[in-house]
Amino acid sequence: MKKDSDDKLLFRNAMQGVKPLKQDTYAPQKEKVNIRKQVLQDVRKTEDVLFFFSDNYEPLLNEDDKVRYLRDGEDNHLLKQLRRGDFSPEIFLDLHGVTKKQAKLELAALLLACEKDHFFCASIMTGYGTFTLKNQIPRWLVQHPRVRALHQAPREWGGDAAILVLLDI
């Protein structure tokens, strides 16, 4: 008990003459704007946005290894940069718990948002689950003319459960 009172006395003596800080800074409240819903509505209005995503197209992707794709005419160094995490995603899309049909709409909305806001790198979280989306998303992405390269994300951006996409904006 004596030690407790000695500590309090020491603290009071150390704090003698100290003025309390006045909270005079203002932290503005961020407006909650749901850009995703607006972009998704824009996608639904435009009938030809989903034109690029065929379910029947089978690209030559090496699916035994990490997911990767490089558009013809692009520098091979882009894949290495994506793999190392040299590009930081400016926008993220989480597809956990969505159906294949919803994922297609969300992916179209993401690409439209990237084009509209001039984002050149995006991360798509596919998760593991049944591997349906993990296998299908790259097949859709390689069909889009704006996709320059894609690679399985490095650990800090989602690892095996995510894909980094580099776009031509």
Side-chain angles (χ1 to χ4, degrees), residues 21-27:
L21 290 174
K22 179 183 174 188
Q23 177 61 33
D24 59 354
T25 57
Y26 172 73

Side-chain angles (χ1 to χ4, degrees), residues 4-5 9-10 20 30 36 42 49 52 54-55 67 80 82 84 86 89 111 114 123-124 127 133-134 140 144 148 161:
D4 189 37
S5 62
L9 184 62
L10 283 173
K30 292 184 179 179
R36 184 174 165 180
D42 291 346
V49 172
F52 297 109
S54 168
D55 291 329
V67 175
K80 185 175 183 179
L82 279 172
R84 287 190 316 214
D86 290 351
L111 293 173
C114 288
S123 177
I124 302 167
L133 291 180
K134 185 171 174 54
W140 285 332
H144 199 278
R148 295 175 64 191

Side-chain angles (χ1 to χ4, degrees), residues 26-105:
Y26 172 73
Q29 295 288 351
K30 292 184 179 179
E31 271 187 55
K32 291 185 177 180
V33 179
N34 197 343
I35 296 172
R36 184 174 165 180
K37 281 187 179 176
Q38 180 60 44
V39 171
L40 192 55
Q41 288 171 357
D42 291 346
V43 168
R44 288 183 180 141
K45 289 177 190 173
T46 309
E47 294 175 4
D48 60 347
V49 172
L50 298 175
F51 169 77
F52 297 109
F53 303 141
S54 168
D55 291 329
N56 298 325
Y57 179 70
E58 285 294 325
L60 294 174
L61 291 173
N62 184 4
E63 295 181 13
D64 302 334
D65 205 20
K66 297 181 187 307
V67 175
R68 65 176 174 254
Y69 162 78
L70 184 66
R71 182 171 69 185
D72 288 338
E74 295 289 344
D75 185 12
N76 286 335
H77 190 61
L78 283 177
L79 284 178
K80 185 175 183 179
Q81 289 175 306
L82 279 172
R83 180 180 48 85
R84 287 190 316 214
D86 290 351
F87 295 104
S88 298
E90 299 167 291
I91 189 168
F92 294 82
L93 176 63
D94 188 354
L95 295 175
H96 286 96
V98 300
T99 65
K100 201 171 172 182
K101 185 177 180 181
Q102 290 170 329
K104 190 186 278 193
L105 284 172

Side-chain angles (χ1 to χ4, degrees), residues 116-164:
K116 186 176 180 182
D117 295 332
H118 303 288
F119 296 147
F120 69 94
C121 187
S123 177
I124 302 167
M125 297 289 295
T126 59
Y128 295 106
T130 61
F131 288 92
T132 303
L133 291 180
K134 185 171 174 54
N135 292 333
Q136 188 60 47
I137 296 295
R139 290 184 178 121
W140 285 332
L141 285 171
V142 300
Q143 298 174 51
H144 199 278
R146 293 266 187 212
V147 174
R148 295 175 64 191
L150 62 91
H151 200 285
Q152 177 181 313
R155 186 175 302 229
E156 62 268 16
W157 301 119
D160 293 345
I163 299 170
L164 278 186

